[in-house]
Amino acid sequence: MIGQNPFSAGEHTQPMSEINTTPLVDVMLVLLVIFIITAPLLTHAVKIDLPQATSQPLEEKPEVIDLAVDADGKMFWNDAEIDQATLVTRMQDESVKQQQPELQIRADKNTRYQVLAEVLAQAQTAGMKKVGFVSQPQP
């Protein structure tokens, strides 16, 4: 009979409700074989005998210069009051050192911006490379 499904043989078939797990099992077996082969390669390590040495860690703390500027524009170099001319001279002396110290500027909140701008310009002219501002965090 032409046009009839040869597999039905005249029966009414129900939709297939089973899942074919053969391809899934095949894929899982291939993955298992791959992991079995590669697992020993992941734990392989080269055994070497490292030399032993004892040393002290270098704990050289950088020098810090504390430059405080109050509300009136007075400047204090490590808590000692200085004037503009001495400030420029000290900055030039510190900038030529092998390990240049860090200049930390602490300014009063009422200090005029012009004073701070002049201090920064003098530090740049003197060759100070490490300049920072110190502030107090809000409570």
Side-chain angles (χ1 to χ4, degrees):
M1 304 195 164
I2 299 176
Q4 288 186 351
N5 188 350
F7 297 108
S8 66
E11 301 175 9
H12 293 290
T13 59
Q14 298 285 329
M16 189 169 144
S17 63
E18 297 175 5
I19 297 174
N20 187 3
T21 59
T22 305
L24 179 65
V25 171
D26 290 344
V27 169
M28 296 306 280
L29 286 174
V30 168
L31 289 174
L32 180 65
V33 169
I34 289 173
F35 285 129
I36 288 173
I37 291 172
T38 58
L41 298 176
L42 297 176
T43 60
H44 181 70
V46 176
K47 301 287 184 192
I48 58 173
D49 190 17
L50 295 174
Q52 300 292 323
T54 57
S55 65
Q56 296 287 338
L58 183 60
E59 294 184 19
E60 184 177 316
K61 295 183 179 170
E63 183 182 349
V64 175
I65 300 168
D66 182 35
L67 180 65
V69 183
D70 67 2
D72 297 328
K74 294 180 187 173
M75 287 177 262
F76 300 88
W77 183 279
N78 291 334
D79 297 327
E81 188 174 353
I82 60 169
D83 59 353
Q84 288 283 348
T86 311
L87 176 67
V88 173
T89 306
R90 285 196 182 174
M91 283 184 184
Q92 289 172 346
D93 292 342
E94 296 295 330
S95 67
V96 296
K97 288 184 176 179
Q98 179 71 20
Q99 283 284 340
Q100 193 178 89
E102 181 178 338
L103 179 64
Q104 293 183 351
I105 301 173
R106 291 184 305 120
D108 188 88
K109 66 180 179 179
N110 297 321
T111 304
R112 291 182 47 229
Y113 180 73
Q114 179 65 32
V115 174
L116 291 175
E118 289 172 0
V119 169
L120 287 174
Q122 290 167 351
Q124 183 181 15
T125 304
M128 297 293 291
K129 297 195 184 328
K130 299 176 184 177
V131 179
F133 284 98
V134 178
S135 64
Q136 185 173 6
Q138 293 182 353

